[in-house]
Amino acid sequence: MSTRSAAEVNAEIRDLWQRSGGSLTPQDEAAYQRLLVEWAAAGGSVRTAA
């Protein structure tokens, strides 16, 4: 398995949400969960407002 950057995985997550119209099917939810794990492993971080 090739390693993608957090930015690449984040782009796929954003695309998934855009395609779904904000309502994930069970299949989309499973894909989203896998992407979140991949994103975190790639060094993704959550920014919060101060």
Side-chain angles (χ1 to χ4, degrees):
M1 179 175 141
S2 65
T3 302
R4 298 189 292 169
S5 71
E8 290 173 305
V9 179
N10 189 44
E12 189 171 340
I13 290 169
R14 288 177 185 268
D15 184 57
L16 175 64
W17 277 106
Q18 186 175 14
R19 286 192 326 260
S20 74
S23 181
L24 299 178
T25 65
Q27 182 178 359
D28 289 339
E29 178 67 28
Y32 176 65
Q33 293 299 323
R34 285 190 304 273
L35 287 167
L36 284 179
V37 170
E38 183 180 355
W39 175 79
S45 63
V46 176
R47 292 186 206 161
T48 56

